[in-house]
Amino acid sequence: METISIYLLKCSGLLALFFISYYGLLRKETFFNSNRWFLLSGLLTSAVLPLLVYTKVIWVAPKTSNFDYTTIPLTTMVEQKSIWDYMPLIALLLYGIVITLLAAKLLYDFYSLQQLLKGKVSRYQADYRLVDTKENLAPFSFFKTIVYNSELYNASELENILEHEKVHSDQNHTIDVLIARVFCIIFWFNPFIWLYKKAILQNLEFIADSEATKKLTDKKAYQITLLKITTQENCVAITNHFYQSLIKKRIVMLNKNQSRKRNSWKYAAVLPALGAFVLLFQINVVAQEQPQEVKEASVMDNSDFKMALHVTALSTEKELNSEKEYFEKEYDLVMRFSGIKTNSNNEITAINVALKDNKGTEKEHHIEGNKAIDPFNIYFERKNGVLTDFGFAKPDSDQLARVTKSQNNSGLNITKAESFYTVNEYVKEGKSYLVVVNGIAQSPDDLIKIPSEDDILSSNVLDPIQAEKKYGSKGKNGVIEITTGTAKVSTKKMNSANNKVWINGELTDIPNESKVMVFNQNQDKSKLDLDKTDVNNLTNKQKSKTSQTIKIVKRETDGIPADITYYINGKIATKAEVDKMDPSLIEKMDVDKSSDNGKSIKITTKDKAQTKNANGWAMQMEITDSSDIIKGIQQDKNIDYKKAIIIINGKFSDFKAIDKLDHNDIQTVGRQSPANGPEKTKQAAVAKYGEKALNGIITITTK
């Protein structure tokens, strides 16, 4: 409510500014067209400028107060409302009522104009619609429609009137009138808007008078016509009418000499006032306290020490962001982690780290590649409580063992050594977290080691509240939960890269591209010993009964051997045609090694046997690698494709679409003949597709 009120007041002030500028400086000038655009731009500026606000921030020094606010007695106040508390609501209600009435009046004027023109005989002259009425109304125009009563004027007077109204129509003065009416509805409470509207209408008449007299030979006769029109009644308010009050002013302006061009400076006189308006009302000044350096009385701030955040390939984005917030809060070192990418093992392969201290010094560390990143440290050094150095460094081998309890915080670091994983002591806000591995609490005094043959499946940090609920008093400081085990090899990993296989949890190139290793999805990878297997002597190799057999499949580059003759349904086919086949359409495949020309593979597709679809009628599915498939549809004696129902990719089509199809784009074709089936089949087809279904149904799927 308050925002709307302020906006309306600002708009009203600008409207008053533009009107006063026009009335005081431009009203008597003969720059009629320029005055028109000045007045219209004033309306637009008044509506838009109050919406543009510039916010200026002023930093002020923080002020501290030693006043004890607890000494102020608490009192309970009962708010009592008066009639003045409801005044904003009453004002809003009144504003809405008046707007509604004025909007209704505008709509009524449109209706009155429509009724006036209804049933009237019109004639057209160029782009103008001329309506000759019998009513005693002053001539007026509304866009390209001009209304007049020819019985009231002689031929010369009528010519003067039409020239005047044509100027209104050509320059679209009706738009100016409607805009002025809308602003009068919205800002009805502002007296300047009504004067503003009057100035717009009067200036439009000055324009029409000036332009009309340029085309007429007798200016005196035109002025006499103006005087004669004063006896006519007024017309519809939303139109441009020949009669206007203050005829004397119009005649004076007609006979006035043209203004000098040097007077154009008056249009710029409003700019300083607009600048003052922006400076006074459109700049929002916000005062903010400067960040205060808080020096806590602690042992750490007075000591010299160096701390590092250890980042490894197993670090998670959540953990890094948690440490980032801590470093920003405690040590005023801003960290930004971005561009983090991980592989299928959730190991970080790419990361970008940006550091910035309170002096504006920036340092950046960027790693990008396909392999897991090497560990690195983000370090900082403080002396006498002041940050003196920060950056990136490689960790030394004994780093984790040297993490001491003197640090107030330390991140969770799990580092893989030659035969075991080590877990550092995790400290946050001065509290040492309990480490629980596979449900067993570890001793806080010993360096925690986990055999490297086990994989770290997950690690979870529980805050003190969560940890105490789960582990009781021993978890009151917080708990680190670590779960180890053996990772499972999945089919998804097997297919994650061409010519690669997962061995011991790592994506490894296959030594011999002609062989592919296939094993059970749920098989324990540690029992396969793939890294110990000779890939050149794998054929028929058997494992013990307690493990799975490794199956070796011969593979060519394109997936199918090249030295074989192929037959599809008894016809010789190319290797490319076989590669394109959908395996779901193959009924059987026979391998013949006795051929004189070498091996041959005979493929029989499901198109040789008719099947029944869900609706019960006969359906024939075909492989479409033959270039004769479209010709086969067109020459089918059982189904006339021009009369049959055509369905392409699930949508109804017609035979013309089949004629335009490229046989290389077709994947499958189904031809159905419900008419050849039993009566029940015919009824089912007709119920689904109509009588046309008895001509046949052709279903095509494209690639």
Side-chain angles (χ1 to χ4, degrees):
M1 175 64 184
E2 182 180 359
T3 304
I4 296 176
S5 301
I6 294 174
Y7 171 76
L8 293 176
L9 289 175
K10 288 181 178 181
C11 292
S12 298
L14 289 174
L15 287 171
L17 173 63
F18 273 92
F19 175 76
I20 293 172
S21 299
Y22 170 78
Y23 190 85
L25 299 174
L26 302 170
R27 176 172 55 96
K28 295 181 180 181
E29 302 294 340
T30 59
F31 307 131
F32 303 130
N33 283 307
S34 298
N35 286 349
R36 177 193 180 191
W37 298 117
F38 177 84
L39 291 169
L40 289 178
S41 63
L43 295 178
L44 179 63
T45 304
S46 300
V48 175
L49 190 57
L51 299 176
L52 305 178
V53 179
Y54 171 73
T55 301
K56 181 180 180 181
V57 178
I58 297 178
W59 296 97
V60 296
K63 294 182 179 180
T64 58
S65 175
N66 296 324
F67 182 77
D68 186 3
Y69 289 93
T70 59
T71 60
I72 301 177
L74 296 177
T75 58
T76 303
M77 298 188 63
V78 179
E79 184 180 1
Q80 295 181 350
K81 292 188 176 182
S82 64
I83 185 63
W84 298 105
D85 296 316
Y86 296 98
M87 287 304 295
L89 183 61
I90 295 172
L92 180 62
L93 183 61
L94 177 62
Y95 176 75
I97 292 174
V98 177
I99 279 186
T100 303
L101 293 176
L102 292 175
K105 177 62 170 59
L106 178 62
L107 295 177
Y108 177 76
D109 289 339
F110 278 108
Y111 174 76
S112 299
L113 177 61
Q114 184 183 21
Q115 292 300 113
L116 179 64
L117 299 177
K118 187 176 182 181
K120 297 295 187 299
V121 179
S122 304
R123 67 184 180 90
Y124 291 87
Q125 185 181 95
D127 295 333
Y128 310 103
R129 176 191 176 193
L130 305 180
V131 179
D132 191 353
T133 181
K134 303 298 181 183
E135 300 182 27
N136 185 23
L137 290 174
F140 67 87
S141 63
F142 185 75
F143 290 103
K144 295 295 183 180
T145 300
I146 300 175
V147 180
Y148 58 91
N149 187 346
S150 60
E151 296 179 354
L152 301 177
Y153 317 103
N154 57 39
S156 177
E157 293 170 343
L158 190 58
E159 181 185 2
N160 294 335
I161 291 171
L162 290 178
E163 287 298 333
H164 178 95
E165 297 302 331
K166 286 179 181 179
V167 175
H168 285 311
S169 298
D170 290 339
Q171 297 190 12
N172 293 315
H173 289 174
T174 303
I175 296 177
D176 300 46
V177 176
L178 293 177
I179 292 175
R181 282 291 298 273
V182 171
F183 269 79
C184 284
I185 292 174
I186 299 174
F187 300 100
W188 59 265
F189 55 87
N190 183 5
F192 285 100
I193 193 59
W194 301 100
L195 298 173
Y196 207 107
K197 174 193 170 188
K198 183 178 179 180
I200 289 177
L201 298 180
Q202 191 177 77
N203 186 67
L204 294 178
E205 295 305 319
F206 293 159
I207 295 174
D209 291 340
S210 176
E211 296 297 326
T213 54
K214 291 178 182 179
K215 301 178 182 180
L216 298 172
T217 57
D218 193 348
K219 183 182 290 188
K220 183 177 180 180
Y222 182 84
Q223 297 176 43
I224 293 173
T225 303
L226 283 180
L227 293 174
K228 184 175 180 179
I229 298 302
T230 58
T231 61
Q232 306 297 324
E233 296 180 6
N234 207 346
C235 56
V236 181
I238 59 174
T239 61
N240 298 288
H241 37 91
F242 190 82
Y243 165 75
Q244 285 281 0
S245 60
L246 303 176
I247 293 296
K248 180 181 177 182
K249 287 187 177 181
R250 292 175 61 181
I251 295 175
V252 169
M253 296 303 287
L254 274 173
N255 295 282
K256 188 174 182 179
N257 294 328
Q258 291 293 318
S259 300
R260 296 179 180 180
K261 290 185 178 180
R262 64 184 182 184
N263 291 340
S264 300
W265 67 268
K266 296 180 180 180
Y267 291 105
V270 73
L271 295 179
L274 291 177
F277 174 84
V278 171
L279 293 176
L280 291 174
F281 303 108
Q282 298 307 107
I283 297 180
N284 184 25
V285 180
V286 178
Q288 291 188 1
E289 290 186 351
Q290 291 178 340
Q292 185 177 13
E293 296 184 2
V294 180
K295 295 184 178 180
E296 298 180 359
S298 63
V299 177
M300 178 173 290
D301 285 339
N302 294 325
S303 61
D304 299 342
F305 67 92
K306 186 175 183 179
M307 178 176 280
L309 173 62
H310 192 53
V311 181
T312 70
L314 297 176
S315 299
T316 65
E317 189 170 0
K318 182 178 179 181
E319 292 172 349
L320 294 176
N321 286 330
S322 174
E323 297 296 338
K324 173 191 72 173
E325 294 174 0
Y326 168 76
F327 272 71
E328 291 179 3
K329 178 181 178 182
E330 296 293 331
Y331 305 110
D332 205 15
L333 183 64
V334 178
M335 291 185 186
R336 292 290 181 269
F337 297 97
S338 61
I340 298 177
K341 297 180 182 179
T342 59
N343 57 21
S344 55
N345 275 344
N346 290 325
E347 296 173 330
I348 297 177
T349 59
I351 187 173
N352 187 72
V353 187
L355 305 178
K356 184 178 180 180
D357 64 5
N358 55 7
K359 298 178 181 178
T361 305
E362 298 182 5
K363 294 184 180 181
E364 189 171 349
H365 186 57
H366 180 72
I367 304 175
E368 187 168 1
N370 297 322
K371 296 182 179 180
I373 64 171
D374 294 328
F376 65 92
N377 284 346
I378 304 172
Y379 74 88
F380 73 93
E381 188 172 357
R382 299 185 71 168
K383 293 183 178 180
N384 298 322
V386 178
L387 182 66
T388 57
D389 189 21
F390 66 94
F392 306 93
K394 292 184 178 180
D396 57 78
S397 57
D398 298 328
Q399 178 188 15
L400 294 177
R402 291 188 288 103
V403 176
T404 64
K405 293 185 180 180
S406 62
Q407 295 178 340
N408 209 30
N409 287 267
S410 66
L412 175 62
N413 297 300
I414 302 176
T415 304
K416 186 176 182 180
E418 292 184 1
S419 59
F420 54 85
Y421 292 98
T422 60
V423 183
N424 73 305
E425 181 183 12
Y426 184 86
V427 182
K428 191 170 184 179
E429 296 180 358
K431 297 179 180 179
S432 179
Y433 279 46
L434 174 68
V435 179
V436 177
V437 180
N438 296 331
I440 301 175
Q442 305 297 307
S443 172
D445 298 325
D446 300 328
L447 185 65
I448 300 171
K449 296 182 179 181
I450 300 173
S452 60
E453 57 263 22
D454 290 339
D455 294 324
I456 304 296
L457 300 181
S458 66
S459 62
N460 185 32
V461 180
L462 299 180
D463 60 36
I465 297 177
Q466 294 174 318
E468 190 169 7
K469 289 181 180 179
K470 186 172 183 179
Y471 293 96
S473 59
K474 62 181 180 180
K476 62 182 180 179
N477 292 337
V479 170
I480 303 297
E481 295 179 327
I482 299 175
T483 303
T484 66
T486 303
K488 301 294 183 180
V489 179
S490 66
T491 305
K492 182 176 181 181
K493 286 185 178 182
M494 287 287 295
N495 299 329
S496 61
N498 292 329
N499 301 326
K500 292 188 177 184
V501 69
W502 285 88
I503 300 178
N504 287 343
E506 295 183 359
L507 192 63
T508 307
D509 291 329
I510 299 176
N512 186 345
E513 281 197 1
S514 65
K515 295 180 173 59
V516 175
M517 289 168 278
V518 182
F519 47 88
N520 191 298
Q521 177 178 350
N522 296 321
Q523 175 70 14
D524 187 342
K525 68 178 179 62
S526 63
K527 296 179 181 179
L528 292 176
D529 295 333
L530 294 179
D531 53 334
K532 301 176 183 179
T533 304
D534 182 4
V535 297
N536 296 314
N537 188 25
L538 289 172
T539 307
N540 297 326
K541 181 178 177 67
Q542 297 285 333
K543 295 292 291 183
S544 64
K545 293 183 179 180
T546 59
S547 63
Q548 296 288 332
T549 299
I550 301 176
K551 181 180 178 182
I552 306 303
V553 180
K554 180 73 174 177
R555 187 185 73 175
E556 297 294 336
T557 304
D558 295 332
I560 300 177
D563 56 345
I564 294 179
T565 304
Y566 301 95
Y567 296 87
I568 299 178
N569 296 329
K571 296 182 180 180
I572 294 179
T574 64
K575 182 174 178 292
E577 290 177 329
V578 176
D579 287 339
K580 294 180 180 178
M581 291 187 64
D582 185 350
S584 63
L585 298 177
I586 299 176
E587 184 176 9
K588 64 178 181 177
M589 181 183 297
D590 298 323
V591 180
D592 186 1
K593 299 182 179 179
S594 62
S595 175
D596 295 335
N597 297 325
K599 295 181 181 179
S600 65
I601 296 179
K602 298 179 180 179
I603 301 173
T604 303
T605 63
K606 296 178 182 179
D607 63 325
K608 288 302 180 180
Q610 287 196 348
T611 59
K612 297 287 183 177
N613 68 2
N615 298 307
W617 56 76
M619 178 177 67
Q620 188 174 12
M621 296 298 295
E622 298 178 280
I623 293 292
T624 62
D625 292 308
S626 174
S627 60
D628 296 332
I629 186 62
I630 295 180
K631 186 181 294 184
I633 296 174
Q634 295 169 338
Q635 298 177 358
D636 194 333
K637 296 180 180 180
N638 296 323
I639 299 177
D640 186 351
Y641 82 108
K642 293 184 178 181
K643 298 180 180 179
I645 290 177
I646 310 296
I647 302 175
I648 300 177
N649 294 330
K651 297 182 179 180
F652 289 99
S653 188
D654 57 15
F655 71 92
K656 295 180 181 178
I658 293 180
D659 295 338
K660 296 178 182 179
L661 277 175
D662 185 344
H663 69 89
N664 292 319
D665 295 333
I666 300 176
Q667 183 174 1
T668 61
V669 175
R671 284 182 273 182
Q672 307 169 19
S673 302
N676 297 331
E679 188 64 28
K680 185 176 181 181
T681 299
K682 297 178 183 178
Q683 294 176 359
V686 172
K688 186 172 183 179
Y689 297 109
E691 292 292 337
K692 191 176 179 180
L694 299 179
N695 298 328
I697 303 171
I698 300 176
T699 305
I700 298 176
T701 303
T702 60
K703 297 178 182 178

